């Protein structure tokens, strides 16, 4: 058996083969790879060369491998000048599947589990990295960020009057729990784990609004919770031309409502005996007003379970695929979309994940087909 090839050399050889032989009759240049992976600022040719060098290879960071996978998932990447990475919504289902397989392969070469002989055929991608035990699109969808740039999740903060009624919120308490200051913890835990699973190479941070610095505002932003307890949410919604607005509640007893530009209003449904029966929640994805090369996503309900339902729409393994497919068909060419939804609560007090393919679960959507 021939000696094992160093892992960095195996990856370098694969990256070069992708560029030179991935598409029959098309030889991709290092310049095109540098343009596509760099986005607004092309990477240097010397950097691309170092990643392809089998003599003195340099291991690319994992986020760049995600860029390679997106780039070589579609021949359309090189049909424009300069070359570019296609957005998530531009990719077909076949291209997304190809991207997932290639990403898994490149990651396995970047982080090998065991030595591999020169003549040993590569293991199937499913063996190297299982992206989903159920076969769903855990590796793609709205929560996959093709540019693999950092993501900042900004939840609301519970007001002091509420924290004062809770245990372990005093920093002087030996059992102090810092996270108890955050609102919408169910939604935060669900979403943080999902984004990390879909983007294993991406830096995903949780920031309270008062902790954010100037650089945080220009990253991919995910805002959780309503405008009452999230100042960043209030700021962003003022800067965006949103078709839906969440009204600030004058007090804790007021349920509040969402309103649309045509004057329609949507309120939660509460019962004196059973409490919250149905919440109203909003999901919005568009360009970050502080940096149009990045995105902003809003997940907010009138109550916490509404926010959780908005998040679960695209994380719940039973519903996310059909909801993602609905988004692709309903907003095929839109750089932004908005869905106001009904979030039902079952008799046990648990959230029923909204099914966007059902008209009764969608209260308002934008843009409409004729816009």
């Amino acid at each position: 058996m021939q000696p094992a090839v160093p892992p960095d050399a195996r990856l370098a050889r694969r990256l070069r083969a992708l560029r030179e032989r991935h598409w029959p009759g098309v030889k991709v240049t290092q310049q095109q790879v540098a343009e596509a992976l760099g986005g607004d600022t092309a990477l240097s040719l010397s950097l691309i060369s170092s990643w392809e060098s089998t003599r003195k290879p340099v291991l690319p960071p994992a986020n760049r491998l995600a860029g390679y996978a997106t780039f070589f998932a579609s021949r359309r990447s090189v049909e424009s000048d300069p070359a570019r990475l296609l957005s998530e919504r531009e990719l077909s289902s076949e291209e997304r599947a190809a991207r997932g397989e290639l990403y898994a392969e490149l990651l396995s070469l970047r982080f090998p589990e065991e030595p591999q002989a020169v003549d040993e055929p590569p293991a199937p991608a499913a063996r190297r990295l299982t992206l989903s035990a159920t076969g769903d699109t855990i590796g793609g969808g709205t929560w996959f960020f093709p540019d693999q740039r950092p993501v900042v999740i900004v939840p609301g903060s519970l007001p002091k009057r509420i924290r004062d009624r809770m245990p372990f919120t005093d920093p002087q308490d030996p059992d102090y729990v810092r996270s108890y200051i955050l609102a919408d913890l169910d939604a935060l835990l669900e979403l943080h784990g999902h984004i990390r699973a879909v983007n294993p190479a991406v830096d995903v941070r949780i920031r309270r609004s008062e902790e954010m610095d100037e650089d945080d505002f220009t990253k991919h932003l995910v805002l959780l919770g309503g405008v009452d307890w999230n100042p960043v949410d209030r700021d962003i919604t003022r800067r965006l031309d949103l078709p839906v607005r969440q009204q600030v509640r004058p007090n804790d007893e007021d349920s509040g409502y969402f309103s649309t530009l045509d004057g329609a209003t949507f309120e939660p449904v509460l019962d004196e005996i059973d409490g919250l029966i149905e919440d109203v929640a909003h999901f919005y994805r568009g360009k970050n007003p502080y940096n149009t090369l990045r995105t902003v996503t809003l997940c907010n309900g009138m109550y916490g379970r509404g926010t959780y339902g908005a998040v679960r729409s695209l994380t719940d393994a039973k519903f996310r695929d059909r909801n993602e497919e609905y988004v692709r068909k309903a907003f095929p060419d839109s750089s932004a979309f908005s869905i106001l939804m009904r979030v039902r609560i079952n008799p046990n007090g648990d959230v029923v994940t909204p099914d966007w393919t059902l008209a009764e679960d969608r209260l308002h959507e934008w843009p409409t087909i004729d816009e």
Side-chain angles (χ1 to χ4, degrees):
M1 180 179 292
Q2 300 185 43
V5 177
D8 44 1
R10 292 204 305 270
L11 178 57
R13 188 168 56 190
R14 181 67 175 117
L15 294 180
R16 186 180 183 90
L18 278 173
R19 188 173 59 78
E20 295 182 341
R21 299 188 296 275
H22 185 64
W23 292 307
V26 178
K27 186 174 181 179
V28 179
T29 67
Q30 289 185 342
Q31 179 65 38
Q32 288 174 305
V33 175
E35 291 168 347
L37 268 61
D40 46 327
T41 304
L43 304 181
S44 68
L45 295 183
S46 61
L47 184 60
I48 303 298
S49 294
S50 70
W51 293 343
E52 294 184 1
S53 172
T54 56
R55 188 169 62 89
K56 290 185 177 181
V58 174
L59 285 173
N63 67 311
R64 294 304 185 191
L65 296 182
Y68 267 97
T70 300
F71 182 79
F72 286 103
S74 174
R75 192 164 177 162
R76 289 177 292 145
S77 301
V78 294
E79 291 180 354
S80 61
D81 186 17
R84 67 188 182 94
L85 298 185
L86 300 181
S87 68
E88 179 69 17
R89 213 167 305 154
E90 291 178 285
L91 294 171
S92 67
S93 57
E94 293 79 10
E95 289 167 342
R96 284 191 294 274
R99 178 192 60 195
E101 292 179 3
L102 181 55
Y103 187 31
E105 177 192 352
L106 296 178
L107 278 181
S108 72
L109 293 173
R110 177 64 173 79
F111 304 102
E113 295 182 359
E114 58 187 24
Q116 181 176 327
V118 172
D119 295 330
E120 182 182 349
R127 273 185 54 200
R128 293 191 298 265
L129 180 65
T130 302
L131 292 178
S132 170
T134 58
D136 57 21
T137 54
I138 184 67
T142 300
W143 292 121
F144 177 77
F145 297 91
D147 63 8
Q148 296 291 277
R149 297 302 198 271
V151 177
V152 176
I153 304 176
V154 188
S157 297
L158 294 174
K160 187 176 183 301
R161 67 179 185 278
I162 294 179
R163 297 200 306 271
D164 286 346
R165 303 200 302 263
M166 298 169 56
F168 313 135
T169 58
D170 184 352
Q172 303 303 316
D173 190 318
D175 286 318
Y176 171 67
V177 179
R178 185 171 181 270
S179 297
Y180 282 1
I181 194 175
L182 301 176
D184 300 298
L185 280 178
D186 287 344
L188 177 61
L189 291 172
E190 171 80 11
L191 186 57
H192 181 265
H194 187 80
I195 292 178
R196 289 294 303 274
V198 175
N199 307 270
V202 168
D203 180 23
V204 184
R205 301 292 179 91
I206 299 171
R207 290 278 191 270
R208 290 186 293 147
S209 57
E210 56 268 32
E211 297 174 328
M212 294 179 66
D213 60 32
E214 56 185 301
D215 290 333
D216 288 331
F217 283 91
T218 60
K219 298 173 182 176
H220 290 294
L221 290 179
V222 181
L223 309 182
L224 290 180
V227 295
D228 293 317
W229 297 343
N230 195 330
V232 177
D233 193 316
R234 291 198 297 272
D235 173 75
I236 292 292
T237 54
R238 280 195 295 262
R239 298 175 187 276
L240 294 172
D241 187 19
L242 292 178
V244 170
R245 295 283 179 176
Q246 184 181 25
Q247 305 304 312
V248 177
R249 294 188 293 177
N251 53 63
D252 293 341
E253 288 70 37
D254 194 304
S255 63
Y257 61 92
F258 283 92
S259 63
T260 62
L261 294 178
D262 58 7
T265 60
F266 301 91
E267 302 179 14
V269 177
L270 294 104
D271 181 85
E272 291 184 0
I273 298 176
D274 297 320
L276 183 64
I277 297 176
E278 187 178 289
D279 203 352
V280 180
H282 185 215
F283 188 99
Y284 171 86
R285 163 61 69 83
K287 293 182 178 180
N288 183 341
Y290 287 102
N291 180 1
T292 57
L293 294 178
R294 306 291 177 260
T295 62
V296 64
T297 310
L298 308 180
C299 298
N300 57 321
M302 292 313 307
Y303 293 99
R305 280 174 286 186
T307 299
Y308 183 62
V311 167
R312 289 278 287 170
S313 297
L314 296 179
T315 64
D316 186 334
K318 299 185 296 296
F319 290 91
R320 63 184 174 222
D321 283 351
R322 73 182 75 167
N323 287 341
E324 290 283 6
E325 184 64 21
Y326 179 80
V327 169
R328 286 193 290 271
K329 291 181 178 179
F331 317 110
D333 302 313
S334 301
S335 60
F337 72 92
S338 162
I339 295 179
L340 189 68
M341 72 200 80
R342 191 189 313 274
V343 180
R344 296 180 177 87
I345 313 299
N346 70 24
N348 293 329
D350 300 321
V351 168
V352 178
T353 302
D355 183 348
W356 293 348
T357 65
L358 300 178
E360 58 264 33
D361 278 9
R362 305 188 314 271
L363 300 173
H364 180 276
E365 54 192 317
W366 173 91
T368 55
I369 295 176
D370 56 349
E371 286 187 273

